[in-house]
Amino acid sequence: MIMSKHKDFLRTIVEEDLKSGKYKEIHTRFPPEPNGFPHIGHAKSIAINFGIARDYHGRCNLRMDDTNPTTEDTRYVEALKDAVQWLGFEWDNSVRYTSDYFDKLYEYAIELIKMGKAYVDSLDEETMREYRGTVTEPGRRSKYAERSVEENLDLFERMKKGEFKDGEHVLRAKIDMTAANMKMRDPLLYRIRHAHHYRAGDTWHVYPMYDFAHCLSDYIEGITHSICTLEFENNRDIYDWVLDELNLTPPRPYQHEFARLSINYTVMSKRLLLELVNKGRVSGWDDPRLPTIAGYRRRGYTPESILNFCDQIGIAKANSTVDVAQLEFAIRDDLNTKVPRVMCVLDPLKVTIENYEGTEEFDAPYYPEDIPKEGSRKVPFSKEIFIEREDFSENPPKGYYRLTPEQPVRLRHGYIITCKEVIKDADGNITEIIAAYDPESKSGRDTSGIKVKSAIQWVDANRAKTVEVRLYDRLYSSEAPEGLEDLNPDSLKVIKDALIEPAVITEKPDERFQFERQGYFYADPVDYTDEAPVFNKIVGLKDSWSKKTKANERAPRGERKPQAKKVQVEGEVEPMSEAEQALFDRYTGELGLNSMVADILARDEKLSSFYEETLTVLNTPVTLANIVTNEVARELKEKQAEELKFNAKQIAELVKMVNDETISNKIAKQVFEEMAKSGANPAQIVEDKGLVQISDPTLILPIIEEVIASNPDNVAKFQAGNTKLLGFFVGQVLKTTGGKANPQVVNELVAEKLK
RNA sequence: UGGGGUAUCGCCAAGCGGUAAGGCCUCGGUUUUUGGUACCGAUAUUCGGGGGUUCGAAUCCCUCUACCCCAUCCA
């Protein structure tokens, strides 16, 4: 497979971990809970986990995260396995189950208890919630946290044996009831559940919670990268806590999160999907309108198209909603090169060709010339045919290419016909067209010289087969649906008596077809029989004609409405304290700092004291303030001044070198980074790495000339007025000098050279 | 509201101090016996807002804003 040039952030992490030797081989896993049918969001996760394993020659497990006996079932296990296989992936070894680790998990829990890191709590649910505190108030610990190790061990064992009722006790980790991360306020590890587990049966009366089971299951399986969705970000702390506290033999897995998939005009939540199925708003979990794997599958989507789609949308951490058009593109793109073209008339209008007698059969290839596939069929033709009602217009709009009283049209693979007469019923509805054909115009040996604007699909009236066609549209009419009220009432249209050319049924060249000029269709795998064929519409063809006419109806000028510029509300800035204000005044007054820099320093005790210290060494208040508020501030964000590898004196020295132009600002940043890492003296770093600035034009000029010579395109662009390119040339020169050239000098020289 | 995240074109998304990738959508055009496909071309002087640092900022610093997640004995 071709790896795209730009890797996603997960693959970047994986590569780094492989390179650094953190892991020798990568091992991922797809760990759904078997409590519902998989949807395209799962497909994304499958594509990521199995895809990464494949790309880096690792392995990927399929694991059922089945720790909650009340929600899980084998039928979901089967559906999940099925989905992975359908998408074309193979899991490593056999399917794994968290429930297979219950014994091991129990042992780990005992270990935690023995370490004094876990306790049996006996608060009732409501009290426990109360004790947990809120996002703004810290929680407090239950009195049961004081229980002895022995008591905890005893209680936990009896919990396991089933001596207590549901909810009577739980096992909790002893972490921190005041933690800012709510998840860390002594999370539950085990709860009592007297329930039948679909696999473990009735042997267990305690079941581990996600936060305890998941990290350890990953560890047990030797997972290296535990990839999950964004909502588990807060759980990562527990993940790490459990694995670290248990003193496991390394290596251990690490969790990484990505944004879950959402697509407009549909829903992905289990709750909403379930509602649709339970209330009968769809025919079942495999209703072709549903974003479930089963639904897409029945609709006729191919695994390749779903995988391509997942590939196209990328992986990132921003919550976003992908346009369905992207999915539709993926399936069209896939089917275009694969499926045979046939003719089907959905809304028949009878055409009688007055000057034709007898019957004949046209030899019609299944694929257009641009598709390198072979195969053809016979298409019967006679005096009476049907065309699509839409393909005739008595009063055609501007730009109409099809049949009109004045405009001839070609019958695809057949003759050119001309309208002679329009027959209507009493209400004025068109019931039939009387037409004439040109015998010289037969497809493939047309000598008629007639020019037509288009070719339309048709079927022979006597030999066409009647088929049922199910036309699917988006399930919801709202882009971000919230419930049943947003349902699209026209999401399913059933056409009972569409007419199709006989070869489709008798020859069966495929299961998926393109009905020419209409879209891609799939022989419904459940309801189709040769006697009563049923086709599902997978997706329509791109239709720039109907788009144009509809756009004209809606907005005659068809311009994109100007987007209102986002209005930014300015928030309140916290006022300064008196002392801060005094400091601020001194900085802006006496020292001449600009107010922004002074503000940053005055408000930050750590920064200002660091700054004051640098001042005692060197008397250039402004430059010092700049480096302190920008570079030092970054280091001081998560550290105390004492933890820094460098000190104020060294910063002053660094600034001094900039001031006397020994090094450029650019180099100063580089040196600073080194200082932050190693704590070495700036002068030493500069000397070791030979970073002294080059300002001599005679040294720089040749390099500039070289850069100019090797980038003639950009020179031309620059001279044509693209002045931003100046930065490009400066950058190139700096790159070749390892950043040592004096950028100011380079700027001047480049500008002059390019003039 | 405390904590954790996120913000780059209509929709996704690269980018990690030196020319704002790419795909979808849209709009033109060429080819076409599918108003399809393919092909060519257009579409971000600007990266949520405002400041600062720098010769140079989407990238570093400060600040504000918006949205998402967390107070299930669910996962």
Side-chain angles (χ1 to χ4, degrees):
Chain A
M1 109 151 227
I2 306 145
M3 286 269 278
S4 51
K5 193 170 145 209
H6 299 284
K7 290 179 285 290
D8 54 82
F9 78 100
L10 290 174
R11 271 170 244 255
T12 305
I13 290 169
V14 165
E15 277 184 24
E16 276 166 12
D17 288 347
L18 242 22
K19 212 171 125 200
S20 73
K22 186 170 174 183
Y23 303 110
K24 279 206 278 296
E25 187 187 45
I26 81 118
H27 203 155
T28 55
R29 101 267 94 112
F30 169 59
E33 183 189 11
N35 71 343
F37 284 89
H39 51 65
I40 193 162
H42 292 91
K44 179 179 177 181
S45 181
I46 291 168
I48 291 172
N49 281 296
F50 284 92
I52 287 178
R54 178 203 52 208
D55 291 351
Y56 296 96
H57 310 292
R59 290 175 285 162
C60 183
N61 290 359
L62 170 61
R63 174 165 82 233
M64 301 299 153
D65 203 5
D66 53 357
T67 57
N68 185 357
T70 59
T71 55
E72 295 146 7
D73 195 274
T74 338
R75 62 195 284 237
Y76 303 122
V77 172
E78 292 311 313
L80 258 352
K81 282 158 71 174
D82 212 41
V84 173
Q85 280 171 331
W86 182 67
L87 287 170
F89 293 108
E90 270 174 49
W91 48 86
D92 182 63
N93 225 296
S94 49
V95 179
R96 323 290 173 108
Y97 298 86
T98 303
S99 52
D100 282 349
Y101 311 140
F102 281 171
D103 283 314
K104 282 185 192 162
L105 261 14
Y106 182 78
E107 291 305 316
Y108 281 125
I110 299 281
E111 216 173 300
L112 276 184
I113 295 173
K114 286 182 178 162
M115 295 164 88
K117 306 267 187 192
Y119 62 94
V120 173
D121 199 355
S122 310
L123 255 27
D124 65 88
E125 221 175 315
E126 202 181 320
T127 315
M128 199 177 291
R129 186 162 31 241
E130 220 178 286
Y131 273 40
R132 191 147 31 221
T134 67
V135 286
T136 48
E137 304 152 34
R140 26 185 232 287
R141 194 161 265 162
S142 150
K143 63 177 180 194
Y144 300 110
E146 301 306 315
R147 289 211 253 239
S148 69
V149 169
E150 291 68 35
E151 193 183 351
N152 282 324
L153 251 17
D154 173 59
L155 249 18
F156 188 47
E157 194 184 343
R158 287 163 59 199
M159 283 165 66
K160 182 194 178 196
K161 283 182 180 157
E163 292 185 22
F164 305 109
K165 288 199 287 286
D166 280 17
E168 224 171 311
H169 305 287
V170 291
L171 186 73
R172 300 180 76 172
K174 201 180 223 172
I175 307 180
D176 180 4
M177 289 304 291
T178 67
N181 179 357
M182 295 288 297
K183 291 259 140 110
M184 291 295 269
R185 321 251 258 228
D186 287 11
L188 270 59
L189 266 24
Y190 270 89
R191 78 288 214 184
I192 300 170
R193 273 265 205 292
H194 292 279
H196 181 84
H197 188 279
Y198 77 103
R199 289 188 80 246
D202 301 306
T203 47
W204 290 88
H205 300 100
V206 288
Y207 289 90
M209 304 286 291
Y210 165 85
D211 283 311
F212 186 65
H214 203 95
C215 51
L216 285 167
S217 302
D218 282 345
Y219 175 75
I220 289 166
E221 293 178 10
I223 301 303
T224 56
H225 299 263
S226 182
I227 298 163
C228 62
T229 45
L230 245 28
E231 66 269 27
F232 292 100
E233 274 174 326
N234 297 317
N235 300 61
R236 190 174 59 228
D237 283 345
I238 315 179
Y239 191 99
D240 290 338
W241 185 89
V242 172
L243 295 183
D244 286 342
E245 293 299 327
L246 249 13
N247 295 316
L248 305 164
T249 41
R252 66 123 160 137
Y254 284 86
Q255 176 180 306
H256 307 277
E257 311 88 11
F258 68 93
R260 65 161 7 124
L261 171 63
S262 82
I263 298 179
N264 58 11
Y265 297 103
T266 192
V267 295
M268 226 69 97
S269 95
K270 205 165 286 170
R271 196 195 97 234
L272 264 8
L273 255 16
L274 201 65
E275 191 182 27
L276 291 169
V277 174
N278 287 347
K279 295 202 172 158
R281 309 306 282 264
V282 294
S283 62
W285 285 102
D286 65 347
D287 188 292
R289 291 165 293 181
L290 251 24
T292 52
I293 301 293
Y296 284 122
R297 203 168 160 178
R298 178 150 181 199
R299 175 126 168 202
Y301 272 73
T302 56
E304 293 82 1
S305 68
I306 303 268
L307 256 13
N308 286 342
F309 169 72
C310 290
D311 211 51
Q312 285 161 13
I313 58 174
I315 310 166
K317 291 188 79 139
N319 278 310
S320 52
T321 303
V322 178
D323 197 331
V324 264
Q326 185 95 39
L327 217 208
E328 291 171 351
F329 168 80
I331 184 65
R332 275 192 211 109
D333 193 46
D334 187 37
L335 262 21
N336 176 44
T337 54
K338 290 181 175 169
V339 305
R341 270 65 167 173
V342 297
M343 294 194 288
C344 178
V345 173
L346 300 180
D347 185 9
L349 173 62
K350 188 172 183 189
V351 175
T352 302
I353 300 158
E354 57 177 15
N355 59 341
Y356 188 90
E357 293 304 332
T359 64
E360 68 182 297
E361 285 184 330
F362 303 127
D363 206 23
Y366 275 126
Y367 300 92
E369 277 182 22
D370 51 342
I371 304 298
K373 293 191 91 173
E374 299 294 322
S376 66
R377 81 288 191 185
K378 299 277 188 225
V379 181
F381 177 71
S382 71
K383 190 183 182 75
E384 291 178 345
I385 63 167
F386 287 103
I387 67 168
E388 203 70 59
R389 191 164 285 275
E390 266 191 351
D391 288 338
F392 174 77
S393 177
E394 206 176 7
N395 301 296
K398 201 164 163 264
Y400 189 82
Y401 289 174
R402 290 103 105 151
L403 187 67
T404 75
E406 279 79 41
Q407 187 169 264
V409 79
R410 173 175 295 282
L411 298 175
R412 178 106 238 241
H413 304 299
Y415 299 101
I416 291 172
I417 57 166
T418 313
C419 173
K420 292 289 174 199
E421 193 187 342
V422 181
I423 299 173
K424 296 179 184 173
D425 66 12
D427 301 326
N429 301 314
I430 299 171
T431 55
E432 189 182 341
I433 305 290
I434 306 296
Y437 86 111
D438 186 318
E440 307 300 314
S441 68
K442 189 164 172 178
S443 186
R445 51 183 119 103
D446 183 354
T447 54
S448 71
I450 304 171
K451 286 266 187 292
V452 289
K453 286 226 172 74
S454 72
I456 61 174
Q457 74 273 23
W458 55 276
V459 291
D460 180 76
N462 296 313
R463 280 169 287 177
K465 307 268 192 201
T466 301
V467 293
E468 176 175 330
V469 174
R470 298 174 183 166
L471 264 20
Y472 297 104
D473 199 353
R474 39 188 66 150
L475 225 202
Y476 292 90
S477 42
S478 158
E479 210 175 314
E482 282 166 7
L484 266 20
E485 67 278 8
D486 294 320
L487 243 19
N488 173 12
D490 301 319
S491 60
L492 170 60
K493 234 179 281 174
V494 179
I495 297 177
K496 290 279 186 195
D497 43 16
L499 295 169
I500 203 162
E501 53 171 292
V504 178
I505 311 300
T506 51
E507 259 179 49
K508 280 200 187 53
D510 206 342
E511 292 169 329
R512 293 185 182 84
F513 303 91
Q514 186 195 101
F515 291 179
E516 286 205 51
R517 305 211 303 137
Q518 313 210 82
Y520 293 99
F521 291 79
Y522 183 52
D524 188 278
V526 178
D527 295 337
Y528 182 100
T529 62
D530 279 356
E531 293 66 43
V534 178
F535 289 95
N536 295 327
K537 179 171 179 177
I538 307 169
V539 66
L541 254 29
K542 265 183 87 170
D543 186 353
S544 47
W545 168 245
S546 83
K547 210 151 40 195
K548 201 179 284 179
T549 46
K550 272 181 198 149
N552 283 343
E553 281 165 30
R554 273 191 231 125
R557 285 184 239 308
E559 270 165 46
R560 203 169 248 170
K561 47 193 176 267
Q563 295 281 313
K565 191 112 171 129
K566 264 186 224 156
V567 196
Q568 275 287 335
V569 186
E570 270 305 300
E572 293 275 305
V573 179
E574 185 96 358
M576 278 189 244
S577 74
E578 225 166 279
E580 288 168 349
Q581 186 65 49
L583 206 51
F584 176 84
D585 291 343
R586 184 164 81 82
Y587 286 159
T588 49
E590 200 181 307
L591 300 183
L593 306 187
N594 77 41
S595 58
M596 196 65 217
V597 172
D599 187 275
I600 297 168
L601 288 171
R603 284 171 186 278
D604 192 320
E605 163 61 38
K606 281 197 287 187
L607 278 185
S608 57
S609 60
F610 191 97
Y611 175 55
E612 299 283 350
E613 213 184 322
T614 61
L615 279 179
T616 62
V617 186
L618 188 69
N619 188 28
T620 51
V622 175
T623 35
L624 281 171
N626 285 342
I627 195 163
V628 170
T629 50
N630 285 289
E631 311 303 318
V632 178
R634 179 169 58 244
E635 299 299 318
L636 236 29
K637 259 186 201 169
E638 276 157 27
K639 283 184 189 156
Q640 293 304 311
E642 305 78 59
E643 297 174 59
L644 297 179
K645 290 266 176 74
F646 57 88
N647 56 39
K649 190 165 162 275
Q650 289 171 314
I651 294 299
E653 279 173 37
L654 178 64
V655 171
K656 193 157 171 293
M657 279 191 283
V658 176
N659 287 347
D660 63 25
E661 295 190 17
T662 307
I663 58 172
S664 63
N665 260 300
K666 187 187 175 78
I667 294 295
K669 298 215 174 195
Q670 193 184 325
V671 173
F672 176 81
E673 258 167 56
E674 187 60 35
M675 287 165 67
K677 236 192 292 174
S678 68
N681 272 329
Q684 192 65 48
I685 296 171
V686 171
E687 200 194 313
D688 287 354
K689 304 206 167 176
L691 296 175
V692 175
Q693 167 161 250
I694 305 167
S695 300
D696 185 352
T698 56
L699 292 175
I700 297 175
L701 230 33
I703 301 168
I704 294 182
E705 272 159 14
E706 196 187 306
V707 168
I708 288 180
S710 51
N711 290 286
D713 291 3
N714 281 337
V715 173
K717 272 197 242 169
F718 180 84
Q719 280 162 351
N722 190 348
T723 49
K724 318 184 263 207
L725 249 33
L726 189 64
F728 164 74
F729 289 106
V730 175
Q732 290 299 310
V733 173
L734 255 54
K735 205 168 160 189
T736 47
T737 59
K740 287 185 287 185
N742 180 331
Q744 259 151 311
V745 175
V746 174
N747 257 303
E748 282 166 31
L749 293 175
V750 167
E752 203 174 305
K753 266 283 170 198
L754 287 174
K755 222 179 335 180

